[in-house]
Amino acid sequence: MNTWQQWVLAGTMLGTLGACGKKAEVQQEIRPVRTMIAGDRHAQTADSYAGEVRARHETRLAFRVPGKVVERYVSAGQQVKKGQALARLDGSDYALDLSAKQAAQSAAQVELAQQEADLARSRELLKQAFISQAQFDRQHSALEAARARAKQAAAQASASGNQADYALLRADADGIISEISAEPGLVVAAGQPVARLAADGEREVAIQLPENALDKVRSAKTLNVTLWSTQQQFPGQLRELAGDADPATRTYAARVRIHAPAGQLQLGQTARVTLPAASGQGLYLPLSAILDTGGKHSVWVVDSKKLTVKQRAVTVATLDSHGATLSGGLNAGEQVVTAGVHLLRDGQSVKLLKP
């Protein structure tokens, strides 16, 4: 064997030893993974949506006439009674208009009285043949016209009185003023909302639903409502679902009625509405545990004694936004990897991370 052949043989042996070393290093690599027990009810996640506690009846209050706000009597968060004054407009113009209409009504009443007296005299003159029937009829028509003008003046005075009364904004029901923007000096138009009244009584949770959750929420017989601040849970029921999506968020507004004792809920509290967990004989796993390879699904099953993993094919029955329900390939009680499934190989050693 010449010198050149010896160098080639030595290089080949070194390359082989290097490859074996790398293979051994890969085999000895230990991957940290997170796992769960298949069939563990606490590990199964159900769809949930954040929302806000609102009143069943909410009214945006507004003045029925335009004007300048001169006084505000309540603040946001204040409890009010039905008919209580909330704010007042400058009503001097409406008071002047009312005075003018009342004066016109008085004049119309005076004219009506005069026409009635003239008709009575015309009736006596007609009996004595001092006037013709045509003259009497004209007097009777004048009386009817005076009566109509008196009714018109009375209606105008009543309408003007209403306008003056509309300068005072009142609460439509017992409740809480959740919002008010009627500050003194503000000039408002008729119908411009200046306050929001949350009526006493039933409370609800306002949530936004994606389109893939509509059927599940509609079919759910009961929903679970959890308060973020106290973690209290109450049963709920879907009461209202918008027929069209919001153009900005592409979600559907929904209202969930809460069955809770009076006084347990505060307006504005953050709440979470949860759908019933997936039911049936299939096992429910998070999406992060499912490995999809060309449409074929599998999971990594952990050997708890050897701390190694083995890939196993499974059958997926249904999918939702959080996980998948399996109909075959996995048994309840087996430990599966829930994170890092794309970095594992058959027989690889793993280190179990704490939940």
Side-chain angles (χ1 to χ4, degrees):
M1 180 181 298
N2 55 34
T3 304
W4 181 83
Q5 290 176 330
Q6 291 177 351
W7 277 104
V8 171
L9 180 60
T12 303
M13 294 179 63
L14 288 173
T16 303
L17 291 174
C20 293
K22 290 182 179 178
K23 183 175 181 181
E25 182 181 353
V26 170
Q27 289 179 345
Q28 293 174 0
E29 181 183 5
I30 299 177
R31 288 277 185 186
V33 294
R34 294 190 183 278
T35 63
M36 63 168 284
I37 303 299
D40 185 358
R41 296 184 60 185
H42 296 286
Q44 299 188 16
T45 58
D47 291 342
S48 61
Y49 306 95
E52 179 187 3
V53 176
R54 306 278 287 273
R56 168 68 175 84
H57 298 284
E58 291 182 321
T59 307
R60 291 195 173 274
L61 304 177
F63 290 101
R64 298 171 64 174
V65 293
K68 179 181 179 180
V69 179
V70 294
E71 197 168 3
R72 192 186 78 178
Y73 303 112
V74 296
S75 301
Q78 185 173 336
Q79 185 79 32
V80 297
K81 297 294 183 180
K82 182 178 181 180
Q84 182 176 338
L86 307 179
R88 182 174 62 86
L89 297 178
D90 181 7
S92 56
D93 291 342
Y94 299 109
L96 292 174
D97 183 68
L98 176 58
S99 298
K101 296 298 176 55
Q102 288 175 341
Q105 181 184 12
S106 299
Q109 291 293 338
V110 171
E111 181 186 2
L112 176 59
Q114 181 63 46
Q115 292 295 337
E116 288 176 343
D118 289 345
L119 182 64
R121 284 191 292 270
S122 296
R123 186 176 291 110
E124 292 297 327
L125 293 175
L126 179 63
K127 291 179 181 180
Q128 299 175 17
F130 289 131
I131 62 174
S132 64
Q133 182 66 41
Q135 289 176 308
F136 178 81
D137 292 341
R138 283 194 295 270
Q139 184 61 46
H140 187 273
S141 297
L143 174 62
E144 293 300 323
R147 284 177 178 170
R149 286 192 293 270
K151 289 183 179 179
Q152 180 184 16
Q156 290 176 344
S158 178
S160 182
N162 290 338
Q163 296 288 310
D165 186 62
Y166 295 155
L168 189 63
L169 183 64
R170 301 179 184 275
D172 291 340
D174 296 349
I176 297 175
I177 299 298
S178 57
E179 177 185 346
I180 186 165
S181 59
E183 297 293 342
L186 177 68
V187 178
V188 298
Q192 177 183 339
V194 296
R196 186 172 66 182
L197 174 66
D200 289 343
E202 192 174 354
R203 295 290 184 255
E204 298 178 337
V205 175
I207 58 175
Q208 299 290 329
L209 296 174
E211 58 183 283
N212 63 346
L214 300 182
D215 291 338
K216 289 186 290 185
V217 174
R218 285 195 188 102
S219 60
K221 295 182 179 180
T222 183
L223 301 170
N224 184 52
V225 179
T226 305
L227 299 181
W228 178 81
S229 58
T230 62
Q231 294 302 307
Q232 288 180 288
Q233 296 186 359
F234 305 99
Q237 187 177 17
L238 179 67
R239 183 191 65 81
E240 182 180 89
L241 181 61
D244 193 9
D246 183 274
T249 63
R250 305 306 305 166
T251 56
Y252 293 76
R255 288 293 191 104
V256 177
R257 181 187 296 115
I258 310 175
H259 303 290
Q264 290 291 316
L265 304 174
Q266 301 296 326
L267 294 176
Q269 281 185 298
T270 302
R272 181 166 293 277
V273 177
T274 306
L275 274 67
S279 60
Q281 297 181 352
L283 299 176
Y284 189 83
L285 296 180
L287 290 178
S288 59
I290 307 298
L291 183 64
D292 189 343
T293 308
K296 297 181 179 180
H297 300 97
S298 60
V299 297
W300 291 102
V301 181
V302 179
D303 186 332
S304 57
K305 295 182 179 180
K306 299 180 181 180
L307 290 182
T308 58
V309 294
K310 183 175 181 59
Q311 188 174 5
R312 184 186 301 176
V314 293
T315 303
V316 175
T318 59
L319 284 170
D320 57 35
S321 59
H322 293 284
T325 301
L326 307 184
S327 59
L330 190 67
N331 299 318
E334 291 188 288
Q335 192 173 21
V336 296
V337 178
T338 60
V341 295
H342 296 86
L343 304 175
L344 300 176
R345 299 180 309 277
D346 272 329
Q348 183 171 7
S349 298
V350 294
K351 176 183 178 182
L352 304 185
L353 298 177
K354 294 182 180 180

